[in-house]
Amino acid sequence: MTEPTKTDISVRLERAALVGIIRPAQESEDSEAFEELKRLAESAGAVVACGLTQRRKKPDSKFYIGKGKVEELKSMIQDYDADLVIANDNLRPGQAKAMEDGLSVKVVDRTELILDIFATQARSQTAKLQVQLAQLVYMLPRLKRMWTHLSRMEGGIGMRGPGETQIESDRRAAKNRIRDLTRKLKEMEDRRERTVESREGNFRISIVGYTNSGKSTLLNRLTDAGVLVQDRLFSTLDTKTKIWRLRGGRVALLSDTVGFIRALPHSLVASFHATLEETRHADLLLHVVDLSASDVESQIRAVEDVLKEIGASGTEALMVFNKADLPREAIDIENLKQSFKSHVVISALTGAGIDDLEKAVSAVMDRFQKPVTFTVPHGKSSIAAMIRKLGRVTAEEYTDDAAVISAFIDPAEAERLKKLIGGQ
């Protein structure tokens, strides 16, 4: 028998069996989350082979699902040739171990799956360190079970990021690594904080929204960002900040960052603290919503929950209902729009509604920045420098005695500068 050539060898994708609990008190939310689990699994590179749900008030304390359902799931795994099980909730270490022992396959919970997707999508050094920290925090109480994973299968979903070398490390080594990563990320956060502070005087806008809602497409539409757009979850992990030149000469700093999702793991929120700095310091949030999604309102609530967790819930927000060009599920769009006084309907892909978006943003900027003309004596050049730093200069002329500077600037800053000049 001849040896197979490289072209004869194909990589077999992991086949996943999904399992979830449907609680009567939150049936709709759990059903939507289970549907979303399919997309998460596919984004992680798995083939969804089969799925099983069980209606019960709360997860079983030992097996997550009932013992009888474990046997049913085991039979499905064999019938559909599944390699692993993905649970729709976060499992305690004991639950995961009991399921693995009963099913004889690897078991991954929702947090582990999301962390794995982040690990595959991380490109920058900062993002990679952030994901490593989140994975290590997650794995620390689960090291014994993770070693079992390693003995059964190298690589695969739940095994990327820090990878086998960290799983082989003992608990003390993992703690040391967590400490080192925390220190490095704190240094990066301090540098980013200084960068954010250096943007004082510029109107800052952050694009937020559920993952795959079209945030990167909108950033590309409004600026020359050229961000890679993919129809997959969490395709953007790093903050991108670009200049948005609005009509009439106005300029804003527009930032896009990581997308949110239901029950975004707390370890990820903590690790991405520095990346989310732009969102916390924004003057305005553009909350992008996918109108074609079947669970629009649930996605909106999930984003609002994360904004509250990172301390940005008090920032003014404009709802941007996106993907108006796509067919919509049976949702009451008019009722949805009435729930949010500040909103626009657009298609970031086709450009429809972008004029309305600009007008809405300009109206908000009017409350932050006013056109002001300063006459600054030549002997007070430091004040001229402050105007250039705090405002957006639109014209600058010079007379024998002074510099005449026109700028859009925060009204309170304008009054302070006028007093420094001498009570203009």
Side-chain angles (χ1 to χ4, degrees), residues 316-384:
E316 182 169 356
L318 173 65
M319 301 299 293
V320 181
F321 295 113
N322 189 31
K323 303 189 182 181
D325 55 305
L326 297 180
R328 293 196 292 270
E329 299 286 344
I331 61 171
D332 188 345
I333 181 61
E334 291 304 320
N335 184 58
L336 184 64
K337 290 192 294 185
Q338 290 175 11
S339 300
F340 302 96
K341 183 178 179 181
S342 300
H343 70 267
V344 292
V345 179
I346 71 162
S347 167
L349 184 64
T350 67
I354 295 299
D355 287 347
D356 293 334
L357 175 60
E358 282 205 18
K359 291 176 183 176
V361 171
S362 293
V364 177
M365 293 179 73
D366 282 341
R367 302 201 308 270
F368 282 82
Q369 295 180 325
K370 297 290 185 181
V372 181
T373 298
F374 301 91
T375 302
V376 185
H378 289 316
K380 296 186 176 182
S381 58
S382 61
I383 297 177

Side-chain angles (χ1 to χ4, degrees), residues 21-41:
I21 298 297
I22 306 297
R23 303 162 184 82
Q26 55 185 62
E27 181 171 353
S28 176
E29 183 176 343
D30 282 342
S31 296
E32 290 168 354
F34 190 75
E35 288 299 313
E36 182 177 75
L37 190 67
K38 295 178 182 178
R39 290 203 65 196
L40 287 168

Side-chain angles (χ1 to χ4, degrees), residues 90-93 96 107-113 115 132-143 145-146 149 158 178 265 267:
N90 296 330
L91 302 177
R92 297 196 303 272
V107 175
V108 173
D109 66 15
R110 188 180 181 90
T111 289
E112 199 170 351
L113 177 63
L115 290 174
Q132 284 185 28
L133 176 59
Q135 286 189 308
L136 285 167
V137 169
Y138 169 86
M139 292 191 315
L140 186 58
R142 299 170 172 82
L143 282 176
R145 184 174 68 86
M146 300 302 283
H149 278 183
I178 288 173
S267 56

Side-chain angles (χ1 to χ4, degrees), residues 191-202 204 253 278 281 388-390:
R191 289 197 295 270
R192 185 180 290 272
E193 180 75 30
R194 290 192 292 271
T195 300
V196 171
E197 289 176 353
S198 70
R199 293 171 179 164
E200 289 292 342
N202 295 290
R204 293 168 294 181
L253 293 180
E278 298 284 351
H281 285 80
R388 297 186 190 100
K389 178 181 178 181
L390 297 172

